[in-house]
Amino acid sequence: MSDNRPAILTGFHFTKTTLGAFSEGYDIVGHMDKPDLALIPPGVADRVQALVTTGSVGATDKLMAAFPRLSLICCYGTGYERMDLEAARRRNIMITHGADANAPDVAEMAVGLVLATHRRIVRADKMIRRGEWTKRIPNRFGSISGLTGAKFGILGLGAIGLEIARRMKGFDVEIGYCNRNKRDDVDFPYFADVMDLAKWSDILMVVLRSDASNRHIINAEVLKALGPRGHLVNISRGWAVDEAALAHALRNNIIEGAALDVFDEEPYEGTELLDIDNLVMTPHFGGGTEHAQRRMTASVRANLDNHFAGKPVATPVPELREWAKSADAPKPKA
């Protein structure tokens, strides 16, 4: 039975439920922990027709070249930042992503991280666990302004950004945003440049589309513009933030606090962020709810099913949408 089904290789540790959903229609021939040619399971390279992975893991030109029958790469989730789109076009390989499948869930996480950093929730929890709450001390963690009336800047007002804005309205914050283009369906103040948004914001939420043009868009200059009472939250992709610049800004009171759910390299194996008290870190699980997992799994299945049935994929990455609809779109390779 399996020999007659399209063969897929996984590049991410999916749950048993997700793997079960994939294996209903496809032959899972192996797994790779990293996009390293040395990790390709023996004897499967010539069989692999689709790669199911994540954007933070990615796929290089050399990896694509190792699979002569590869015609589809499905990114589980929104991101696709480490996918070599030029190589995919040249090698006639379609790339899809989860589009907006996890937007509500990531927005929930974003609000939680705002509260965690701005209200010092994690630092206060650690203080009690260390036995340091021996008397009441006002402003133990510095003056806390609270969210009411704060200027909340959103860098990237796409589907997730809109979900965050909808939730943050309940905190009576003033919302502004920076986008590639001004939206005509919101009345929030628009800033054409990230520096202008940072100067305006008390809290800067990074919700950017994960492509190479956004690498280290949050740099030392932007952090300085955010200012000594400012907070940064990143729930998009790690490489949007210069982690060395962020560490320096937090250690030297250039900004007040930050929260990260994503990192430049994942899992995070660095050390420069680990001992910074005014930084909250979570292991890239903004979309880690049962609801999001079901939606993202369904999205991958829809893309696999469409592709191998000779139909246009459901959610190609934005740069490949026109190609996906054309007669020249990649087809399964014999």
Side-chain angles (χ1 to χ4, degrees), residues 140-154:
R140 181 186 293 268
F141 301 111
S143 178
I144 299 175
S145 60
L147 291 177
T148 302
K151 292 180 177 178
F152 187 80
I154 301 177

Side-chain angles (χ1 to χ4, degrees), residues 77-78 101-113 160 234-237 260-262 266 282-293 295-296:
T78 304
N102 63 3
D105 309 85
V106 175
E108 291 174 6
M109 186 69 184
V111 174
L113 289 175
I160 296 174
N234 184 16
I235 50 84
S236 56
R237 277 300 183 268
L260 304 175
D261 185 46
V262 289
E266 297 179 354
T282 52
H284 198 161
F285 70 156
T289 68
E290 293 179 0
H291 298 294
Q293 299 291 320
R295 290 193 296 267
M296 291 189 292

Side-chain angles (χ1 to χ4, degrees), residues 20-26 296-306:
F22 296 160
S23 64
E24 287 173 0
Y26 302 91
M296 291 189 292
T297 298
S299 175
V300 171
R301 270 301 304 259
N303 284 307
L304 287 167
D305 293 350
N306 282 16

Side-chain angles (χ1 to χ4, degrees), residues 249-271:
L250 290 167
R251 293 183 192 279
N252 293 277
N253 302 314
I254 294 170
I255 65 172
E256 191 169 71
L260 304 175
D261 185 46
V262 289
F263 300 84
D264 208 344
E265 294 292 338
E266 297 179 354
Y268 180 71
E269 297 178 349
T271 58

